[in-house]
């Protein structure tokens, strides 16, 4: 029976598409670069987050937790516009290489500060710098993907790459949390964990170096070279506005950005509430290690839902439009939030699993829509804007949540707001797409993807 199930799985469309994508040599190299770096992300987040939120000497209130979120996520918002200008100009392979190595050094400095027990401005500055550099790395990965896979495999590639990357991040983070618990939760243990993350980033840089310098673009149409760098730097805001204007004229990408933004602002509220519940409500009295170990279980089940999204999204989007799938997932997010009214741990595990599934399913579809309908000359700015939306509104959600969440995290109004918000987002997104039916071309008129360009050359 078990052998029959394995054989049936190996013949599934998911397995066939996965094998096809992994057969692309250049995709494997880009994929390896992503996985190594995202393993470092998991280790770094576990070490830094556990030190800030679950240290025996700290009892985070909503404002302090929102402040920490701002440090961890705002670099993506502020640096995003600048990253887009460079990603559309410089060798994306070189950006991956240099940013990984620079981040390794910055994270090593953060480890030193944690080792001496620093919890203030110097620590936050080092974390901001490291995460700011990572902005270039992650946006380059997304913009480079269409250069290493065929057009008809983009959905699968967008499922495999970020989803498995997210699973690797979670597994690495869980391992790091286990190591911290074994080490007793002191400053030295946290510093060792963060230093391991620095090693991962160094290895990611070496993996990026195995690709050709010109492999990942950017490419420009003949006679349309990018403007002078000095002018681009002076006109970053204008360039960002140009990117916004370009995307606003492409209804599919504009709607996808709106959907992911709605999901993330509400998820920011839920995530802040979850941390406070586990730290100050479920396990009060300073038992930081017990709170951390059980909150890690929430992260694990969320990752399981995240991984399941990679399995179900490709076959679903072959039968239904991607915007239909996004609408369904937003509605499911709202329905599951009703379980939070119990304020007990098991329902929050269910919420974590479902939000992991719906969030990554929305991200897969939204990312594919943007890739398919955006010219390569604008793709870097498109994903810079995407990441600004993805991370910036997450912080906005956390800040808004901090205004209504008590110190112990137990807030009935927040549960109602997030549940209703997800359902409203689903209704608005469905109506938007009904009003703009027919605006989902494969690559956008006059905007062939890199793989289409290769086939015609």
């Amino acid at each position: 029976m078990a052998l029959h199930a394995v054989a049936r799985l190996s013949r599934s469309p998911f397995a066939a598409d996965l094998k096809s994508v992994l057969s692309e040599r250049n995709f494997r190299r880009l994929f390896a670069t992503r996985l190594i770096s995202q393993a470092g992300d998991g280790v770094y987040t576990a070490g830094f987050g556990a030190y800030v939120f679950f240290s025996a000497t700290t009892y985070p209130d909503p404002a302090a937790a929102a402040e920490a979120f701002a440090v961890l996520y705002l670099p993506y918002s502020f640096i995003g516009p600048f990253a887009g200008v460079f990603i559309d100009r410089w060798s994306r392979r070189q950006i991956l290489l240099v940013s990984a190595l620079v981040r390794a050094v910055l994270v090593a400095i953060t480890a030193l500060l944690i080792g001496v027990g620093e919890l203030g401005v110097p620590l936050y500055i080092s974390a901001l710098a490291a995460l700011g550099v990572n902005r270039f790395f992650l946006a380059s990965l997304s913009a480079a993907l269409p250069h290493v896979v065929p057009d008809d495999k983009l959905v699968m590639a967008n499922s495999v790459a970020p989803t498995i990357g997210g699973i690797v991040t979670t597994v690495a983070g869980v391992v790091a949390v286990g190591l911290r618990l074994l080490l007793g939760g002191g400053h030295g243990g946290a510093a060792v964990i963060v230093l391991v993350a620095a090693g991962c980033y160094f290895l990611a840089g070496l993996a990026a170096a195995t690709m050709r310098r010109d492999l990942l673009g950017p490419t420009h149409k003949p006679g349309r070279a990018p403007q002078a760098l000095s002018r681009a730097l002076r006109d970053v805001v204008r360039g960002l506005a140009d990117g916004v204007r370009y995307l606003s004229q492409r209804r599919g990408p504009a709607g996808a950005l709106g959907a992911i933004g709605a999901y993330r602002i509400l998820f920011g509220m839920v995530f802040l509430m979850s941390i406070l519940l586990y730290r100050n409500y479920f396990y009060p009295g300073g038992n930081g290690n017990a709170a951390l170990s059980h909150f890690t279980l929430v992260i694990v089940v969320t990752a399981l839902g995240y991984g399941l999204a990679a399995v179900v999204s490709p076959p679903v989007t072959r039968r239904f439009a991607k915007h239909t799938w996004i609408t369904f997932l937003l509605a499911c997010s709202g329905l599951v939030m009703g379980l939070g009214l119990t304020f007990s741990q098991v329902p929050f595990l269910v919420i974590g699993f479902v939000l992991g599934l719906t969030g990554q399913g929305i991200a897969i579809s939204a990312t594919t829509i943007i890739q398919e309908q955006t010219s390569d000359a604008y793709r870097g700015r498109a994903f810079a804007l995407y990441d600004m939306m993805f991370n910036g509104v997450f912080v906005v959600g956390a800040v808004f949540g901090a205004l209504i969440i008590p110190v112990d995290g137990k807030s009935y109004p927040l549960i109602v707001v997030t549940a209703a918000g997800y359902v409203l987002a689903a209704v608005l997104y469905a109506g938007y797409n009904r009003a703009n039916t027919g605006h989902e071309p494969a690559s956008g008129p006059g905007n062939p993807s890199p793989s289409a360009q290769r086939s015609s050359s």
Side-chain angles (χ1 to χ4, degrees), residues 441-454:
S443 295
N447 297 322
S449 67
S451 56
Q453 295 171 5
R454 289 194 298 269

Side-chain angles (χ1 to χ4, degrees), residues 45-216:
T45 301
F48 184 86
Y51 176 69
V52 172
F53 293 117
F54 293 96
S55 171
T57 59
T58 61
Y59 299 87
D61 57 62
E67 178 184 275
F69 284 161
V71 170
L72 289 170
Y73 291 97
L74 282 186
Y76 297 92
S77 299
F78 287 122
I79 296 176
F82 294 91
V85 170
F86 288 104
I87 291 166
D88 288 338
R89 177 182 307 273
W90 290 350
S91 163
R92 291 166 186 159
R93 195 292 300 261
Q94 289 301 101
I95 294 175
L96 294 176
L97 170 61
V98 174
S99 62
L101 297 180
V102 170
R103 193 180 187 200
V105 174
L106 293 172
V107 170
I109 294 173
T110 304
L112 176 63
L113 293 171
I114 290 176
V116 298
E118 176 64 44
L119 186 59
V121 174
L123 178 67
Y124 284 158
I125 289 176
S126 68
L128 278 168
L131 293 165
V133 171
N134 197 42
R135 166 66 261 122
F136 290 90
F137 188 93
L138 292 175
S140 294
L141 284 173
S142 293
L145 189 59
H147 287 267
V148 295
V149 295
D151 288 348
D152 59 351
K153 299 300 180 185
L154 268 178
V155 172
M156 191 63 223
N158 280 315
S159 297
V160 170
T163 304
I164 295 183
I167 292 172
V168 168
T169 297
T170 302
V171 172
V174 170
V175 172
V177 168
L179 179 60
R180 175 177 169 80
L181 294 174
L182 288 176
L183 295 174
H187 297 163
V192 169
I193 292 170
V194 173
L195 194 59
V196 171
C200 291
Y201 298 132
F202 178 77
L203 293 176
L206 296 183
T210 65
M211 293 178 283
R212 294 194 326 271
R213 187 187 182 104
D214 62 346
L215 173 66
L216 306 178

Side-chain angles (χ1 to χ4, degrees), residues 60-62 272-282 284 343 405-411:
D61 57 62
L272 173 65
M273 178 180 63
S274 299
I275 287 180
L276 295 173
L277 281 172
Y278 275 83
R279 186 66 179 86
N280 300 330
Y281 179 74
F282 294 141
F343 285 104
I405 301 176
V407 172
D408 65 1
K410 186 177 181 180
S411 173

Side-chain angles (χ1 to χ4, degrees), residues 345-381:
Q345 293 189 52
V346 172
F348 269 86
L349 292 176
V350 177
I351 291 173
F353 176 81
V354 173
L355 291 185
L357 168 62
T358 59
Q360 183 58 5
I362 294 168
I364 289 170
S365 298
T367 298
T368 305
I369 290 171
I370 294 170
Q371 287 173 335
E372 289 177 339
Q373 301 179 38
T374 304
S375 167
D376 192 52
Y378 282 88
R379 198 169 279 138
R381 275 166 285 184

